């Protein structure tokens, strides 16, 4: 189904888990989606992933005119890119694949069309390297799984990117109901993944050293830090930890502890024993429930949690401005 003249068109390139999430989010936002994948059978997985996402999107509220029927799938790249207002690339996380695909897209679409990459770790200047038509409009637009629910998208421009384009990019992703965060400088892994990787490394050490099970590590986040992070993040949480003196007092009181060797900077070796401990622990936590069942449970929770966060978000905006 091709778009009506007034309908925004998003071209989604690659229809795996992340690409499917973009498709579902864009459909729910009332856009026409033209999806491409080199595998003609990818449409089956795409439709299944939309089936998973749609109940949560309906609960969140669909845009006027939103419909799953506004999806067109093809293995023809030219067909999918035709008329696109926004292109989102979701190829495997391999630089040579992304560079080749992005160069092909850059050569095909008009210069004003933004091209976002879902890469979780590659810097935008590397993505732009083989694009010769308008490399500056190729940026990182890194979402978080499930893309159809989590609103954060990290936007990172490269060496060829005009800062004014980032303002335009933010507006385009806001139309998808997202909370764009413009990253000030290029860095591998951007912001959120670097933070999550640090926590992940420490979690693996705790399990590897027999300090805690996977379930106990998760409980420490769910019932402790994670609840606070949902509203305040890391810095504001520590600001409150300082009492009336705020962050300054907190750093004076607890700052010396930062030099104590509590944490490990490198990940532990993934020995067969550690892999078994982590995998079996995760399977025990799942309790025999299927991935689909756990996804549905996660989506219901995230939808309800987002409603709470959004009720408090105006206060957050007043504290820190707009992201």
């Amino acid at each position: 189904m091709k778009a009506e003249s007034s309908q925004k068109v998003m071209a989604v390139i690659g229809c795996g888990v992340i690409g499917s999430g973009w498709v579902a989010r864009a459909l729910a936002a009332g856009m026409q989606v033209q999806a491409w994948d080199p595998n003609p059978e990818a449409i089956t997985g795409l439709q299944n992933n939309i089936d998973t996402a749609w109940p949560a999107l309906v609960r969140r509220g669909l845009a006027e005119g939103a419909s799953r029927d506004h999806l067109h799938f093809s293995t023809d790249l030219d067909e999918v890119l035709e008329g696109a207002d926004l292109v989102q690339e979701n190829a495997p996380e391999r630089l040579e694949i992304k560079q080749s695909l992005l160069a092909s897209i850059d050569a095909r679409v008009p210069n004003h069309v933004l091209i976002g990459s879902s890469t979780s770790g590659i810097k935008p200047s590397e993505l732009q390297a083989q694009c010769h038509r308008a490399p500056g409009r190729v940026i990182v637009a890194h979402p978080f799984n499930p893309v159809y629910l989590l609103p954060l998208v990290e936007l990172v421009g490269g060496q060829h990117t005009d800062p004014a384009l980032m303002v335009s990019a933010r507006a385009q992703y806001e139309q998808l109901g997202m909370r764009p965060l413009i990253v000030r400088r290029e860095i591998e892994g951007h912001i959120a993944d670097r933070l999550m990787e640090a926590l992940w490394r420490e979690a693996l050490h705790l399990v590897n050293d027999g300090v805690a099970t996977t379930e106990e590590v998760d409980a420490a986040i769910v019932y402790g830090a994670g609840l606070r992070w949902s509203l305040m993040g890391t810095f504001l949480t520590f600001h409150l930890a300082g009492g009336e003196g705020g962050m300054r007092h907190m750093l004076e009181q607890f700052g010396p502890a930062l030099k104590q060797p509590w944490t490990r900077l490198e990940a532990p070796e993934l020995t067969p024993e550690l892999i078994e401990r982590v995998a079996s622990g995760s399977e025990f936590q799942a309790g025999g429930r299927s991935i689909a069942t756990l996804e549905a449970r996660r989506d219901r929770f995230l939808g309800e949690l987002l409603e709470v966060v959004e009720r408090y978000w105006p206060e957050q905006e007043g504290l820190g401005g707009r992201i």
Side-chain angles (χ1 to χ4, degrees), residues 16-161:
V17 173
I18 300 301
S20 296
W22 279 115
V23 169
R25 177 176 277 275
L27 290 173
M31 296 184 73
Q32 165 75 23
V33 180
Q34 298 172 179
W36 174 89
D37 198 281
N39 180 6
E41 297 180 1
I43 182 60
T44 301
L46 173 58
Q47 293 289 6
N48 289 339
N49 288 333
I50 295 173
D51 288 341
T52 297
W54 208 250
L57 289 167
V58 171
R59 286 192 297 268
R60 289 283 293 159
L62 303 177
E64 183 178 357
S67 171
R68 292 185 54 168
D69 293 336
H70 295 160
L71 170 64
H72 173 72
F73 175 86
S74 177
T75 58
D76 185 328
L77 188 60
D78 288 309
E79 181 181 347
V80 165
L81 293 174
E82 182 182 357
D85 300 294
L86 173 65
V87 180
Q88 188 72 29
E89 169 270 314
N90 310 281
E93 196 75 353
R94 289 171 53 187
L95 179 59
E96 63 274 15
I97 293 177
K98 287 185 176 290
Q99 285 181 332
S100 175
L101 183 56
L102 288 167
S104 183
I105 295 169
D106 174 60
R108 285 171 162 82
V109 297
N111 292 17
H112 69 276
V113 176
L114 183 71
I115 304 171
S117 173
S118 295
T119 178
S120 59
I122 302 172
K123 294 191 291 187
S125 290
E126 295 177 311
L127 299 174
Q128 297 172 351
Q130 295 182 16
C131 299
H132 303 298
R133 180 171 184 175
R137 46 77 177 271
V138 177
I139 68 170
V140 166
H142 173 227
F144 295 82
N145 189 41
V147 180
Y148 52 87
L149 280 181
L150 294 185
L152 180 63
V153 57
E154 295 176 318
L155 303 181
V156 196
Q159 62 182 354
H160 298 291
T161 304

Side-chain angles (χ1 to χ4, degrees), residues 30 33 63-64 89 129 157 167 172 177-178 181 205 265 272 280 306:
V33 180
E64 183 178 357
E89 169 270 314
V167 176
Q172 289 192 63
M178 307 200 82
L181 172 61
H205 276 295
L265 297 180
S280 61
L306 280 168

